[in-house]
Amino acid sequence: MREDTRTLVFAASTCLIVSLLLSVTAAALKPAQVANEKLDVKKNIIKAFGVDISDKAEWTAEKIEEAFAQYISDASTDELQVYTWTDDGADAPSKYAFPISGKGLWGDIFGYLALQSDLETIAGISFYKHVETPGLGAEIEKPWFQTQFKGKKLYKEGAPVPFAVAKPGTPLTDTSVDGISGATLTGKGVQAFIREDAAAYADYFNSLKEGK
């Protein structure tokens, strides 16, 4: 066999072996990746309900699973995804959370938003997946940005409000939060999909009010 032929055969064999090893490794890691993704979603639903889970030493995977099982129930309908939070000893949910998502600057942003028992006031918000720019749009995942939402109004008298992610420095109202300097398009995206998702869930929350 010629030297150049042997080289090509060796290179092809090496590539095949490496490809097989990568495929086997990816397959082996897939269950763990799926489990981690599900855990991350649960963690962010808990966070949206206003729970401080910043202490990673305290909020282990086991504790997240335990809290989710103890306090949170899936109340989704055929068309809408909804989670409820029920306090210890309570007979009825005290908070309701639903998914929010839409376009940011570079891609889709995913999160959860929770309402207090009045079904109008925001209890908390979280973002668990995005591709926004670090130091700019990615600030949506930081506490300073997310804690602004708590206590703000998403609905008034059953109707969605024109919720705003305002330009930094703009006087705020009970239906707006400060935006992120240098990340105007990310803020506009968050504003747009919060309004859109609030409108999609308005009838559902109004039906809950009527049933109380």
Side-chain angles (χ1 to χ4, degrees), residues 115 118-121 153-161 198-207 209-210:
L115 295 177
D118 65 358
L119 300 176
E120 293 192 348
T121 307
K153 292 291 185 181
L154 189 66
Y155 301 98
K156 288 187 177 181
E157 297 182 357
V161 302
Y201 278 80
D203 288 344
Y204 172 80
F205 289 125
N206 283 330
S207 69
K209 284 184 179 180
E210 293 170 0

Side-chain angles (χ1 to χ4, degrees), residues 28-89:
L29 293 175
K30 186 65 176 178
Q33 291 173 340
V34 171
N36 286 336
E37 288 173 359
K38 290 181 178 180
L39 181 67
D40 193 46
V41 169
K42 289 181 179 180
K43 179 178 70 176
N44 277 276
I45 293 173
I46 292 172
K47 185 178 177 182
F49 277 122
V51 179
D52 182 1
I53 60 172
S54 58
D55 188 340
K56 295 182 179 179
E58 177 186 0
W59 283 91
T60 61
E62 182 179 1
K63 182 168 181 177
I64 290 170
E65 294 285 3
E66 289 177 354
F68 196 91
Q70 181 175 354
Y71 297 107
I72 298 173
S73 297
D74 188 339
S76 299
T77 68
D78 290 337
E79 297 179 351
L80 300 174
Q81 186 181 24
V82 182
Y83 292 92
T84 61
W85 178 283
T86 304
D87 296 314
D88 286 327

Side-chain angles (χ1 to χ4, degrees), residues 16 39 93 105 124 199:
L16 178 60
L39 181 67
L105 173 60

Side-chain angles (χ1 to χ4, degrees), residues 18 47 73 95 134 152 192:
V18 171
K47 185 178 177 182
S73 297
K95 302 171 189 173
K152 299 291 185 175

Side-chain angles (χ1 to χ4, degrees), residues 98-160:
F98 59 95
I100 53 175
S101 64
K103 295 291 185 182
L105 173 60
W106 301 114
D108 291 333
I109 298 172
F110 298 88
Y112 285 91
L113 186 151
L115 295 177
Q116 296 178 7
S117 57
D118 65 358
L119 300 176
E120 293 192 348
T121 307
I122 296 175
I125 195 171
S126 67
F127 297 102
Y128 67 92
K129 185 178 180 181
H130 67 81
V131 289
E132 300 305 285
T133 306
L136 294 173
E139 291 288 299
I140 60 172
E141 66 185 30
K142 297 297 181 63
W144 78 263
F145 182 72
Q146 296 183 15
T147 53
Q148 297 184 87
F149 288 79
K150 190 172 183 177
K152 299 291 185 175
K153 292 291 185 181
L154 189 66
Y155 301 98
K156 288 187 177 181
E157 297 182 357

